[in-house]
Amino acid sequence: MKNEGKQRRFPTGDLARVAVFAALIAVLGLPGSFNLFGNGTPITLQTAGVMLAGAILGSWRAALAVAVLLVLVAAGLPLLAGGRGGLGAFTAPSAGFLLGWLPGAAVTGWLVERAGRRPGLTQLLVASLVGGIGVVYLVGIPVQAMVTGVSLGSAALLTLTFLPGDLTKAVVTAFVARGVQRSYPDAVPAVHRERLRTGER
């Protein structure tokens, strides 16, 4: 009975989706990264993968996908943009943004789950903005200020250089997620959760 309960909680399909999105976030780092105006935190495409994971996987699966990636990075795999990896990534100025991916993905997913069986474009966009930008910045800015020794206000101003790109990523994420969910209803977190509850695969 205990084993059956575990299988219902962690079906093979879910584990596969978690692995796929962890890989997707890593792949989005292949184009590399660049820094603007001396900011120690690089601009990458990987935050778009974090938003997309939340929008399609829902809260806990998205958080697990990000957690898998972060564990692999900590183990030394060069999965971050620019081929970065190892424990040093968690002591760099960008460490807070990196750690913010986890709650950011979870909050994005939680908001999409609240949107029900047919989340609209606006709901997907708001979820990406709040989770993928708001939450990540909320974690990243204070850590960047602490690591670099600048004031919180200065760190926030430096982070504004990311905002246009992150807003674009949120818009693209909303459109991509909406298209995927129309073609594949199980990509809607609320639909997937209901199927698990009823024992469907």
Side-chain angles (χ1 to χ4, degrees):
M1 292 297 289
K2 288 183 179 179
N3 289 335
E4 289 180 5
K6 287 182 181 178
Q7 288 176 358
R8 287 175 184 172
R9 279 190 174 185
F10 302 102
T12 303
D14 276 348
L15 295 176
R17 291 181 183 97
V18 165
V20 165
F21 271 88
L24 173 64
I25 298 170
V27 167
L28 287 174
L30 291 179
S33 63
F34 61 95
N35 299 69
L36 287 178
F37 309 113
N39 197 322
T41 301
I43 296 175
T44 80
L45 292 176
Q46 290 182 299
T47 47
V50 173
M51 296 179 196
L52 194 60
I56 291 179
L57 295 182
S59 57
W60 75 267
R61 290 183 300 160
L64 185 57
V66 173
V68 168
L69 177 73
L70 295 182
V71 167
L72 293 175
V73 168
L77 273 67
L79 300 179
L80 298 179
R84 294 175 298 132
L87 293 176
F90 297 92
T91 60
S94 59
F97 294 94
L98 187 60
L99 295 173
W101 287 356
L102 204 155
V107 170
T108 300
W110 184 84
L111 290 172
V112 174
E113 288 169 353
R114 304 284 81 72
R117 295 176 60 87
R118 294 181 180 178
L121 192 62
T122 300
Q123 292 167 309
L124 291 167
L125 177 58
V126 169
S128 298
L129 292 172
V130 173
I133 298 178
V135 173
V136 173
Y137 282 23
L138 193 63
V139 178
I141 291 173
V143 174
Q144 184 178 29
M146 181 178 65
V147 172
T148 59
V150 302
S151 69
L152 197 59
S154 296
L157 285 175
L158 285 171
T159 303
L160 289 179
T161 59
F162 302 138
L163 196 54
D166 285 340
L167 290 173
T168 302
K169 293 173 201 173
V171 171
V172 171
T173 294
F175 276 100
V176 171
R178 182 61 177 147
V180 171
Q181 289 170 349
R182 281 181 172 175
S183 303
Y184 183 50
D186 199 50
V188 179
V191 172
H192 181 74
R193 184 174 55 189
E194 287 179 15
R195 289 183 177 178
L196 286 182
R197 285 177 178 172
T198 58
E200 294 181 33
R201 290 290 183 269

